[in-house]
């Protein structure tokens, strides 16, 4: 079964606005990763945050991790139409299962 | 190669036929994953290979599904006696070291069972 769930399932914003997506997971993790998917094909890695980190930045992306709440958020600032895609979180479980478990995804639409 | 390569990119097959999907991971990546993604859904884990260790097959949905990988090279996912519910995009990913590092995805194989 999938480890994570993203919220909201779909998000529509105007270009220039910020977009925030949330991910909740169930078990202890080593790290959490965010991926982006265009047009239902291959996923592209965006950012990885380790369990001992609380916040990480990469360009217009900001990721936070709260291990006590088993949740993470992805913030995209100053959104662009090209940011339109589906965004997934993936967790590397600390239980020894050598796997990446993906959430259900958030479909982001940025309106020009 | 430069990235993860999957073939074919699209496959249409008749119900009941067997299909074989191929994944060429990035050279040197010891971990290889197969996922299934139905239209508008998330990624469903199928199977995971790590070097020469026994694969984690816990995600395979039925005994019609099997996968092989020789060492750290090519992997094939085989679906026998395909059913319409097998229609999906099958995604392969590889990574340098299990889930501790980023995974690189291929573009997937879109399988349509008619």
């Amino acid at each position: 079964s999938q480890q994570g769930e993203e919220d909201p399932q779909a998000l529509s914003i105007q270009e220039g606005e910020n977009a925030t997506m949330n991910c909740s997971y169930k078990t202890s993790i080593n790290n959490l990763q965010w991926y982006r998917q265009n047009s239902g094909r291959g996923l592209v890695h965006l950012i990885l945050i380790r369990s001992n980190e609380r916040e990480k930045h990469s360009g217009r992306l900001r990721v936070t991790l709260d291990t006590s709440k088993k949740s993470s958020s992805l913030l995209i600032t100053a959104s662009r139409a090209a940011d339109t895609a589906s965004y997934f979180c993936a967790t590397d479980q600390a239980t020894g299962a050598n796997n990446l478990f993906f959430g259900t995804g958030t479909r982001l639409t940025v309106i020009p | 190669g430069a990235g993860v390569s999957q073939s074919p990119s699209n496959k249409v097959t008749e119900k009941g036929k067997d299909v074989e999907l191929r994944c060429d991971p990035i050279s040197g990546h010891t971990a290889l994953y197969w996922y299934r993604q139905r239209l508008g859904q998330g990624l469903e884990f199928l199977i995971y290979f790590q070097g020469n260790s026994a694969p984690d097959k816990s995600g395979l949905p039925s005994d019609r599904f099997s996968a092989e990988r020789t060492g750290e090279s090519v992997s094939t996912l085989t679906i026998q006696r395909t059913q319409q519910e097998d229609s999906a995009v099958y995604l392969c990913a590889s990574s340098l070291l299990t889930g501790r590092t980023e995974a690189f995805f291929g573009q997937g194989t879109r399988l349509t069972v008619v």
Side-chain angles (χ1 to χ4, degrees), chain A residues 38-81:
Chain A
N38 291 339
S39 305
R41 286 295 188 140
L43 280 71
V44 175
H45 181 265
L46 296 175
I47 197 165
L48 181 154
I49 186 165
R50 304 195 188 283
S51 60
N52 61 353
E53 297 175 310
R54 292 297 167 259
E55 188 170 312
K56 204 161 184 179
H57 297 253
S58 177
R60 293 184 296 112
L61 305 181
R62 173 180 167 241
V63 169
T64 61
L65 178 65
D66 186 335
T67 53
S68 67
K69 295 181 179 177
K70 292 187 170 55
S71 68
S72 173
S73 67
L74 171 67
L75 169 68
I76 303 175
T77 60
S79 63
R80 305 167 182 168

Side-chain angles (χ1 to χ4, degrees), chain A residues 2 35 37 92 99-100, chain B residues 35 37 43 45 100 103 107:
Chain A
Q2 291 177 142
Y35 288 80
Q37 183 181 40
D92 170 30
N99 211 328
L100 267 182
Chain B
Y35 294 91
Q37 186 178 32
L43 274 69
F45 165 71
R100 308 298 191 266
Q107 289 302 300

Side-chain angles (χ1 to χ4, degrees), chain B residues 6-8 11 19-23 34 75-79 90 109 111:
Chain B
Q6 290 188 247
S7 62
K11 176 72 177 178
V19 294
E20 192 171 278
L21 313 180
R22 177 187 169 106
C23 173
W34 282 98
S75 176
T76 55
L77 176 69
T78 301
I79 308 173
Y90 290 82
T109 293
L111 175 66

Side-chain angles (χ1 to χ4, degrees), chain A residues 6-13 19-22 85-87 104-110, chain B residues 40:
Chain A
E6 281 89 339
D7 164 54
Q9 290 188 349
L11 178 62
S12 184
I13 60 173
T20 299
M21 289 160 271
N22 303 297
S86 291
Y87 292 82
T104 50
T106 292
R107 175 68 190 171
L108 173 66
T109 302
V110 181

